[in-house]
Amino acid sequence: MKPIDLLAAVAVNLAWGLNFAVAKLGVGELPPMLLIGLRYALTAVLLIPWLRWPHGQFRKILGISFTLGFLHFSLMITGLAGVESSVAAVAVQAQVPFAAILAFFFFRDAIGWRRAGGIALALVGIAVLVGQPHGTSDPLSLAMVIAASLVWAISSIQVKKLGSIDTLVLNAWIAVLAFPQLLVGSYFIEGDRWADVPQAGFWGWAAVVYMAVAVTVFGYGIWYRLLLRYPVTTVMPLSLLAPTFGVLCGIVLLGEPASIEKLVGAAITLSGVAIVLLAPRPVPPVEPEKPA
């Protein structure tokens, strides 16, 4: 991976790590699905200039808008309401093994024993963080966060299979298609909560703006380009940087406990990331030439 692309991936994961703390504050003032619906509505407004008809790709984009826009974020933000932001930031990284398995079946992307070992080590770090005994996370909410990571991995495969498309066009269509799904879903699942919107304070609206601009327009815009440019097994392990940023943001911004389990888990996770990044890509065996 080129240094500029690696730097961009780190910046994206910093934005995503901070997002857990911001979203945690946001769901204290707005219902989760309504919050995400407003986020995508703002995103759609910001990206209207890039809303061009995606010839031959609309049905695939509609599917991505459902898995990523509706399912992933509904599960993720609803689950976040019941777990520490630092724990959620780590638990969602289960998307890496999910994505690696899906990439193997759909694209025959090789993993290799070094990368497999690095991912396994990183998952041990995640397990340490998730299992730390001093938190206040609800098990069902935690399960929703992990389910969201599976849906995220599925959406990454969908983006990879989509092929060449301008990332801003893709983000614009996902926003336009996802926000009505989320607002309708919020009405039926969370009830008529529109009265909460005018009463939302600074963090409610800050979360809407931050998720629209930093997470979606900036973050996913760059991430899609990386997925289209590099193999899934090269890009996805970089997302393991997000839990470290997420843990730090949860401790600093929300005052979540900086337990030894969190620090050890973060160190193990980063060690796994380093192995994944430095491991050489496996070279497929060369088949012997058949005799004439």
Side-chain angles (χ1 to χ4, degrees), residues 138-164:
D138 172 65
L140 178 59
S141 296
L142 186 57
M144 294 179 71
V145 172
I146 295 174
S149 71
L150 173 59
V151 177
W152 197 93
I154 293 172
S155 69
S156 296
I157 298 298
Q158 289 176 297
V159 171
K160 187 73 174 179
K161 295 184 71 174
L162 186 62
S164 179

Side-chain angles (χ1 to χ4, degrees), residues 123-257:
L123 290 177
V124 170
I126 292 173
V128 172
L129 283 163
V130 172
Q132 55 97 19
H134 305 297
T136 58
S137 298
D138 172 65
L140 178 59
S141 296
L142 186 57
M144 294 179 71
V145 172
I146 295 174
S149 71
L150 173 59
V151 177
W152 197 93
I154 293 172
S155 69
S156 296
I157 298 298
Q158 289 176 297
V159 171
K160 187 73 174 179
K161 295 184 71 174
L162 186 62
S164 179
I165 186 173
D166 185 277
T167 54
L168 289 175
V169 173
L170 178 59
N171 272 319
W173 275 108
I174 290 175
V176 167
L177 294 170
F179 89 81
Q181 299 177 48
L182 285 157
L183 294 182
V184 172
S186 172
Y187 179 82
F188 284 103
I189 296 174
E190 297 172 334
D192 187 0
R193 302 288 299 275
W194 281 96
D196 296 341
V197 175
Q199 299 176 6
F202 170 80
W203 283 113
W205 290 110
V208 171
V209 174
Y210 182 84
M211 287 190 287
V213 177
V215 176
T216 303
V217 177
F218 170 74
Y220 280 101
I222 291 177
W223 196 253
Y224 291 154
R225 290 186 180 183
L226 295 176
L227 282 172
L228 294 173
R229 187 174 299 174
Y230 299 100
V232 173
T233 48
T234 297
V235 178
M236 284 300 296
L238 292 170
S239 64
L240 286 168
L241 292 171
T244 303
F245 296 130
V247 169
L248 293 175
C249 291
I251 292 171
V252 174
L253 297 179
L254 303 182
E256 294 175 353

Side-chain angles (χ1 to χ4, degrees), residues 22-31 34-36 38-39 42 196-197 199-211:
V22 174
K24 181 74 173 179
L25 293 169
V27 295
E29 299 183 2
L30 287 170
L34 182 57
L35 173 67
I36 298 300
L38 293 173
R39 165 257 187 98
L42 176 58
D196 296 341
V197 175
Q199 299 176 6
F202 170 80
W203 283 113
W205 290 110
V208 171
V209 174
Y210 182 84
M211 287 190 287

